[in-house]
DNA sequence: TAATATTGCTATTAAATTAAAAGTAAAAAT
DNA sequence: ATTTTTACTTTTAATTTAATAGCAATATTA
């Protein structure tokens, strides 16, 4: 658990884990779109192949950016949730969104991102709070099970 | 100039350009380490292959994140400089550095990053100002030439 | 209860990308 | 004039990605 890193540089090391075309999109789906299952993530606009998604989820679990659980009533479906480490990527996701929005309009039709004029730290906090309230609050460590019977929005 | 983007999502579009293991490291070398030549970037800790570096520089120029120039006195050596779009990646670089530093210590020996306790926006401004003063200030658009005869630190 | 559909993958194969190494031409330095 | 440096390109091999099909377990529907 050492040779997969090209150097001791924190930027380089972060890129060794999330530096590819798919990993941060999976995090975006979970964090911003509140997706929790293999199927839901598979159905994104960008059409990730199942083999790649499976490999990435395995790797994200290995580095503890996500963890896997189940609903009480469903033995089959896996529920993927972000850990603190994973939620810590929020600022990176936000900065990518801001940069893409400001710098790529001449090359691609970029979807409008609303609320970009608000202060960045507020956006980051809002995204994290929303993920916590809408998704993570249903996680009960007592039984290591994801319990959607707690009725909340989403 | 449209089909290289997977969707209209700004995050996805940003990743279509800088979402790989090398591109942001090249930007780091230029922005933080003030590297300006093919050779200097080749000599980084992470040992990028010349074929990949050449391809990335070409692509960064295409998307106007960098531009290429020469010194008055050297006909051979190319000088690569960041544009505004390229410098706009500073917050992303900083966030990667902070995240890597806080979250990967258990997997890799991460180099100490000094001054992390300072406010983020100050770090971002400091990095950008430093790049401007130490590197970009020598760019004279009159002759489209990089002029190092302006004596400044670095 | 039986048939059908869904989910979460794995397996397979083809295509594309990356990595490593060597080579080259022009210019710079000695 | 010779050697070295720079900025690449070329080549080939290895790895990764992409697309598709398949499959077992579970869940849903009839």
């Amino acid at each position: 658990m050492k040779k997969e890193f090209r150097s001791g540089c924190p930027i380089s090391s972060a890129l060794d884990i999330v530096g590819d075309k798919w990993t941060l999109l999976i995090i975006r789906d979970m964090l911003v779109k509140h997706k929790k299952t293999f199927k839901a993530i598979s159905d994104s606009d960008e059409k990730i192949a199942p083999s790649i998604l499976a490999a990435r989820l395995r790797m994200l679990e290995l580095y503890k950016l996500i963890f896997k659980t189940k609903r009480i009533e469903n033995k089959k479906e896996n529920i993927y949730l972000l850990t603190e480490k994973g939620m810590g990527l929020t600022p990176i996701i936000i900065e990518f969104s801001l940069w893409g929005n400001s710098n790529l309009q001449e090359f691609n039709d970029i979807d409008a991102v609303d609320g970009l004029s608000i202060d960045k730290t507020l956006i980051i906090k809002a995204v994290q709070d929303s993920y916590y309230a809408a998704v993570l609050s249903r996680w009960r460590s007592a039984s290591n099970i994801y319990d959607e019977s707690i009725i909340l929005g989403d």
Side-chain angles (χ1 to χ4, degrees), chain A:
Chain A
M1 208 182 262
K2 189 72 195 301
K3 70 169 296 293
E4 64 263 47
F5 292 97
R6 288 168 291 178
S7 77
C9 169
I11 300 166
S12 164
S13 300
L15 290 170
D16 285 333
I17 293 181
V18 300
D20 71 277
K21 298 220 176 300
W22 293 111
T23 303
L24 286 175
L25 284 193
I26 295 170
I27 303 285
R28 173 206 64 182
D29 280 355
M30 296 177 69
L31 180 67
V32 181
K33 304 188 178 176
H34 298 172
K35 294 187 177 185
K36 297 178 288 291
T37 62
F38 194 98
K39 182 67 182 355
I41 301 171
S42 290
D43 289 344
S44 297
D45 287 348
E46 295 88 5
K47 294 287 160 218
I48 188 169
S51 50
I52 296 178
L53 179 55
R56 289 297 181 287
L57 289 173
R58 214 176 299 127
M59 180 261 168
L60 287 170
E61 221 185 330
L62 175 65
Y63 286 107
K64 303 177 187 174
L65 275 66
I66 65 173
F67 64 100
K68 200 198 295 192
T69 184
K70 305 254 185 203
R71 289 198 174 88
I72 307 167
E73 73 280 11
N74 191 319
K75 296 271 150 67
K76 190 168 104 191
E77 192 184 53
N78 287 323
I79 303 291
Y80 294 97
L81 302 174
L82 291 167
T83 61
E84 285 290 316
K85 261 186 220 280
M87 285 184 67
L89 291 167
T90 312
I92 292 177
I93 300 275
I94 300 295
E95 294 296 348
F96 266 107
S97 180
L98 291 165
W99 187 85
N101 197 63
S102 306
N103 296 284
L104 299 178
Q105 300 286 0
E106 66 178 293
F107 304 114
N108 190 20
D109 269 317
I110 303 288
D111 301 339
V113 179
D114 44 291
L116 283 187
S117 57
I118 306 168
D119 186 79
K120 259 187 262 184
T121 61
L122 291 182
I123 301 176
I124 291 165
K125 192 172 181 322
V127 170
Q128 289 177 333
D129 286 355
S130 167
Y131 183 77
Y132 189 82
V135 182
L136 274 192
S137 62
R138 272 98 154 188
W139 166 251
R140 307 280 110 171
S141 66
S143 48
N144 268 9
I145 278 241
Y146 181 76
D147 183 2
E148 224 156 44
S149 68
I150 303 166
I151 287 110
L152 284 169
D154 217 41

